[in-house]
Amino acid sequence: MNFILRILITGISTYYLSSFFPWWFIIFIPFTLGLIFKDNYISHFLSGFIGVTISWIFLLLSIEYQSESILSSKIIEILKINSINILIIITALIGGIISGLSSITGLALINNFRKKKDIRNYRFN
């Protein structure tokens, strides 16, 4: 349940806050979720990755539709990419990787301050 909740919080907040803040602001949302929720590293990476990747795909498609491909057509000429769709996928994957690493960083930071239980398999009682 935490996994799906983290994906939804990351995706929705990234989609709406991207119009007010610079692109690198996406690192703060999964970082904060990494501090709040306790789970394993793979789950945190995937929730940050999936949330930002999906939200950036929708955000980039809406920008592409509104601007009628003016800027992206010039970018694919500079980068020598075949189509605009590949540019959107590459951009969304880069954002997803950055967000996933940010979520892992938040979890690793809070794990340094959490007290670990000493688990013993034997008892002296």
Side-chain angles (χ1 to χ4, degrees):
M1 184 65 182
N2 284 341
F3 180 74
I4 296 171
L5 182 65
R6 285 193 316 260
I7 289 174
L8 289 175
I9 291 172
T10 304
I12 292 170
S13 59
T14 299
Y15 184 81
Y16 288 111
L17 293 178
S18 292
S19 60
F20 301 113
F21 296 105
W23 72 269
W24 49 265
F25 188 77
I26 62 165
I27 64 170
F28 294 113
I29 299 161
F31 181 81
T32 306
L33 292 176
L35 293 174
I36 294 172
F37 293 104
K38 182 180 179 183
D39 210 348
N40 60 9
Y41 289 105
I42 295 172
S43 173
H44 271 276
F45 179 81
L46 288 177
S47 66
F49 180 81
I50 292 169
V52 169
T53 302
I54 291 174
S55 69
W56 269 23
I57 286 174
F58 285 120
L59 184 67
L60 292 169
L61 287 174
S62 67
I63 291 172
E64 188 71 26
Y65 177 73
Q66 292 171 357
S67 68
E68 297 174 355
S69 305
I70 295 171
L71 181 62
S72 59
S73 62
K74 294 181 182 190
I75 292 175
I76 63 171
E77 288 176 10
I78 293 171
L79 296 178
K80 309 251 189 295
I81 298 175
N82 295 335
S83 71
I84 295 171
N85 296 334
I86 294 174
L87 178 67
I88 290 173
I89 291 171
I90 290 172
T91 307
L93 289 176
I94 290 172
I97 290 170
I98 291 171
S99 175
L101 292 175
S102 171
S103 183
I104 287 176
T105 305
L107 181 63
L109 180 69
I110 201 67
N111 280 343
N112 286 335
F113 295 110
R114 282 193 183 128
K115 186 175 181 179
K116 295 184 173 83
K117 293 181 180 179
D118 187 21
I119 300 173
R120 297 180 181 172
N121 294 330
Y122 53 88
R123 291 185 164 231
F124 290 113
N125 300 13

